[in-house]
Amino acid sequence: MRGKLRSPKPKEHQLNPNWELLRQKLIKSNGPKKQSTRSQQQKSEPESQNSILGKRKERPVTETDGSKPNPLIPSSSDSSVTDVLAMDCEMVGVSSMGNKSALGRITLVNKWGNVIYDEYVRPVEKVVDFRTKISGIRPRDLRKAKDFISVQRKYQILQHLVDALLLSHPKKDIRDTSEYQHFLKEGRSRALRYLAADYLGVEIQNGEHCPVEDARAAMLLYQKHRKQWERSIKDFIRLKKKQKKRKQKCKTNEGDSDV
């Protein structure tokens, strides 16, 4: 016969009634502990899942939904004066009609986008139109603001620092986003908000302008096109020199012909 071998059953021994009672008590006492342990594990599992989901929720949106991070956020905490600076100004209206512009706020950021100077300015003339919808400047901002002369002096101190670092900026070293050939459309300059949307993929100036944000956008536009931009400047200067030499040569030839 073929069959499965089974281990012989052990003989049952009768326990002393006292031991049997103790054994039943131990079984009863151990039973709830196992159940409580299981219940704790079941409770702890949802908690751990919730904590993981909680951490995910705390992460930046850029890591969860795949959207791009905001390029205008500075990539460094360095707030020193760098080889390039971006400036943005917000203007208010003065004169009797309020149609004359005067400086109301000035902001400077370094190449990392960190603010190195940001000041409200109280114009010499009385402000008639704060242009709040665009400038974001309100009467309360200028009540304790520094007057134009004080800001001018402070800027001169900053300028001395820039000069000391061999970072002086004559007109030929100024880069204006409204004048760069690559940014023009049909020969016309474009607003900074359109340049930021097209070339940086960010929206700015939706309502009141933020000079810090605008200066960062201008800086990033320059940084992204710096090589091409500088090359075009050099080509332009070279062309101007050639034209100047031609004019001088033409004048010399005219002088010789007169003789």
Side-chain angles (χ1 to χ4, degrees):
M1 286 178 64
R2 289 184 181 181
K4 294 180 180 179
L5 296 175
R6 297 180 180 179
S7 58
K9 292 182 178 181
K11 294 182 180 180
E12 295 181 358
H13 298 281
Q14 289 185 348
L15 295 176
N16 185 290
N18 293 332
W19 284 109
E20 180 63 21
L21 182 62
L22 179 60
R23 187 175 70 85
Q24 292 178 359
K25 286 183 178 180
L26 288 173
I27 291 173
K28 290 181 181 180
S29 61
N30 289 335
K33 285 185 179 180
K34 291 181 180 179
Q35 293 176 357
S36 62
T37 303
R38 289 178 182 175
S39 62
Q40 287 177 359
Q41 289 177 351
Q42 291 175 353
K43 289 181 180 179
S44 62
E45 287 177 1
E47 288 177 0
S48 62
Q49 291 176 358
N50 290 334
S51 62
I52 292 173
L53 291 174
K55 288 180 180 179
R56 288 178 182 174
K57 289 180 181 179
E58 290 172 1
R59 291 178 182 175
V61 178
T62 55
E63 295 185 13
T64 57
D65 61 4
S67 61
K68 295 181 180 179
N70 189 344
L72 300 184
I73 298 176
S75 58
S76 170
S77 58
D78 185 356
S79 298
S80 62
V81 177
T82 52
D83 61 333
V84 288
L85 301 173
M87 179 176 69
D88 187 79
C89 299
E90 296 299 333
M91 314 301 284
V92 293
V94 296
S95 77
S96 58
M97 300 294 293
N99 55 357
K100 181 182 177 181
S101 296
L103 182 64
R105 184 178 176 182
I106 180 173
T107 304
L108 289 169
V109 301
N110 62 10
K111 69 178 183 180
W112 306 113
N114 291 309
V115 177
I116 60 174
Y117 187 68
D118 185 23
E119 196 77 67
Y120 285 103
V121 184
R122 189 172 69 253
V124 177
E125 300 180 53
K126 182 180 178 180
V127 178
V128 177
D129 185 2
F130 287 88
R131 304 176 183 176
T132 306
K133 291 183 179 180
I134 297 176
S135 69
I137 299 174
R138 292 167 171 76
R140 65 172 181 267
D141 297 324
L142 302 187
R143 286 183 191 131
K144 295 183 179 180
K146 294 183 178 180
D147 60 85
F148 179 79
I149 303 300
S150 299
V151 174
Q152 193 177 45
R153 288 173 182 170
K154 194 168 184 179
Y155 182 78
Q156 287 174 346
I157 294 173
L158 178 62
Q159 181 61 46
H160 290 317
L161 174 61
V162 172
D163 293 339
L165 293 173
L166 304 178
L167 300 176
S168 59
H169 59 285
K171 188 176 181 179
K172 67 180 182 65
D173 290 336
I174 296 176
R175 306 291 180 262
D176 193 335
T177 56
S178 66
E179 296 178 356
Y180 179 40
Q181 188 70 26
H182 185 68
F183 292 159
L184 301 182
K185 187 175 183 179
E186 297 179 352
R188 297 181 179 181
S189 60
R190 304 173 64 197
L192 183 63
R193 65 177 179 274
Y194 298 128
L195 297 177
D198 291 348
Y199 294 98
L200 305 179
V202 295
E203 294 183 0
I204 62 172
Q205 299 180 349
N206 290 328
E208 297 178 10
H209 293 193
C210 172
V212 175
E213 193 175 61
D214 292 352
R216 286 173 176 171
M219 174 58 72
L220 192 56
L221 283 168
Y222 172 72
Q223 295 284 21
K224 289 190 71 172
H225 299 85
R226 184 170 184 169
K227 289 183 179 180
Q228 185 180 356
W229 201 328
E230 293 303 322
R231 190 182 302 114
S232 66
I233 295 292
K234 289 181 180 179
D235 292 341
F236 179 77
I237 294 174
R238 193 179 297 112
L239 179 62
K240 285 291 184 182
K241 286 182 178 179
K242 285 183 179 180
Q243 290 176 347
K244 188 176 181 180
K245 286 181 180 180
R246 287 176 184 175
K247 286 182 180 181
Q248 290 176 348
K249 191 174 182 179
C250 289
K251 287 181 180 180
T252 303
N253 293 335
E254 288 177 359
D256 293 340
S257 61
D258 291 340
V259 174

